[in-house]
């Protein structure tokens, strides 16, 4: 099993390094960037398949996404999981976490060319790249294998997207006002879900909030890639 996670790690390093080297080849990288972010729309389809394969009850409203990548079955498979988990498709889920993070990173680097050349957009691109790497760590280090590394690796991905979207929204508000408005709408959604995560109740369950937190950014990236593609073709 460990060989798969080693391959995930190596693949992440290779792709990220290649993306950095190719970032200035604009004609090639633009299409790759568009496809990368649009492909994020597939994430929740794959997650649904993994949930359906679970051999014990899985509640997507209350349980975190990480539970689907847990490699062992039973109760107390990792800290805080005092309930039963068994996800036969955990390898598919962890590959999905890893690939999702990679395409976020690649899209952030390759689509940077469409933002105004300002310091704030460079910072935003860096933050979105960190967002992608953070998501990748969730797949490379499942919660039951290294809970602390998994948790601390995933934490930046819950926060950095907020300032990134704010910076991009402000940078494009004059030349792309509609996309700027869309960016701020998604910023409000992901920010609101993060705040509510600290006040979870039976009426606002954590699993749902986590999916809204990430899903709003995935949706922003998918729609943004489509808008930029149409605008530049």
């Amino acid at each position: 099993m460990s060989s798969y996670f080693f391959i995930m790690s190596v693949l992440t390093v290779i792709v990220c390094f290649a993306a950095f080297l190719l970032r200035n080849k604009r004609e090639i990288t633009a299409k790759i960037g568009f496809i990368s972010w649009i492909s994020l729309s597939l994430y929740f389809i794959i997650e649904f398949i993994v949930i359906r394969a679970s051999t014990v009850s899985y509640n997507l409203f209350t349980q975190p996404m990480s539970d689907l990548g847990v490699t062992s079955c039973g109760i107390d498979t990792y800290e805080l999981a005092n309930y039963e988990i068994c996800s036969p498709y955990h390898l598919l889920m962890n590959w999905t976490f890893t690939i999702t993070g990679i395409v976020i990173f690649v899209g952030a680097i390759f689509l940077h060319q469409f933002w105004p050349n300002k310091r704030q957009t460079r910072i935003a691109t860096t933050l979105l790249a960190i967002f992608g790497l953070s998501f990748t760590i969730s797949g490379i280090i499942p919660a039951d294998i290294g809970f602390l590394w998994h948790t601390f690796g995933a934490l930046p991905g819950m926060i950095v997207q907020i300032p990134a979207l704010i910076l991009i929204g402000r940078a494009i508000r004059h030349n792309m006002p509609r996309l700027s408005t869309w960016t701020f709408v998604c910023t409000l959604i992901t920010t609101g879900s993060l705040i509510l995560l600290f006040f979870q109740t039976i009426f606002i369950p954590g699993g749902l909030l986590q999916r809204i937190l990430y899903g709003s950014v995935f949706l922003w990236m998918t729609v943004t890639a489509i808008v930029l593609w149409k605008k530049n073709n």
Side-chain angles (χ1 to χ4, degrees):
M1 180 63 67
S2 60
S3 61
Y4 289 107
F5 300 117
F6 175 75
I7 294 171
M8 291 177 191
S9 302
V10 172
L11 177 64
T12 300
V13 172
I14 291 174
V15 173
C16 292
F17 184 67
F20 183 78
L21 290 179
L22 294 171
R23 67 190 186 281
N24 293 322
K25 298 184 180 298
R26 299 196 168 189
E27 289 188 9
I28 299 174
T29 58
K31 290 184 179 179
I32 296 175
F34 294 143
I35 294 170
S36 293
W37 275 9
I38 292 172
S39 70
L40 290 169
S41 58
L42 299 174
Y43 172 83
F44 287 104
I45 296 175
I46 298 174
E47 187 186 69
F48 176 74
I49 294 171
V50 176
I51 290 173
R52 289 293 299 271
S54 178
T55 56
V56 300
S57 178
Y58 178 88
N59 191 326
L60 61 86
F61 292 104
T62 59
Q63 288 183 244
M65 296 152 67
S66 296
D67 283 1
L68 297 172
V70 169
T71 63
S72 54
C73 292
I75 300 174
D76 295 323
T77 51
Y78 67 89
E79 290 84 339
L80 306 180
N82 57 349
Y83 46 84
E84 190 172 9
I85 297 174
C86 194
S87 180
Y89 286 8
H90 57 81
L91 188 58
L92 172 61
M93 196 70 243
N94 286 318
W95 268 110
T96 301
F97 287 147
T98 302
I99 298 301
T100 297
I102 288 174
V103 297
I104 290 172
F105 181 96
V106 170
I109 299 298
F110 286 176
L111 297 183
H112 174 77
Q113 61 186 286
F114 297 106
W115 308 132
N117 187 21
K118 298 179 179 180
R119 181 172 177 269
Q120 64 192 68
T121 56
R122 290 192 289 272
I123 293 173
T125 294
T126 301
L127 292 174
L128 290 177
I130 292 172
F131 177 76
L133 292 176
S134 176
F135 208 84
T136 296
I137 291 173
S138 299
I140 295 175
I141 311 175
D144 62 317
I145 291 181
F147 178 71
L148 288 179
W149 285 106
H150 175 90
T151 302
F152 287 128
L155 279 177
M158 300 178 71
I159 301 168
V160 295
Q161 80 280 9
I162 297 173
L165 295 187
I166 292 173
L167 289 171
I168 290 174
R170 292 184 62 186
I172 64 175
R173 67 184 183 276
H174 295 304
N175 57 336
M176 290 183 274
R178 290 184 179 180
L179 187 57
S180 176
T181 300
W182 166 245
T183 302
F184 285 127
V185 168
C186 292
T187 303
L188 286 173
I189 295 172
T190 191
T191 303
S193 59
L194 178 61
I195 294 172
L196 289 173
L197 270 172
F198 294 101
F199 304 96
Q200 296 178 43
T201 69
I202 58 173
F203 302 106
I204 313 177
L208 177 61
L209 287 171
Q210 186 188 38
R211 285 171 172 82
I212 295 173
L213 174 74
Y214 290 114
S216 57
V217 184
F218 293 176
L219 182 60
W220 174 80
M221 290 179 170
T222 300
V223 173
T224 297
I226 293 172
V227 170
L228 292 176
W229 199 340
K230 288 183 176 179
K231 183 180 175 64
N232 292 276
N233 281 284

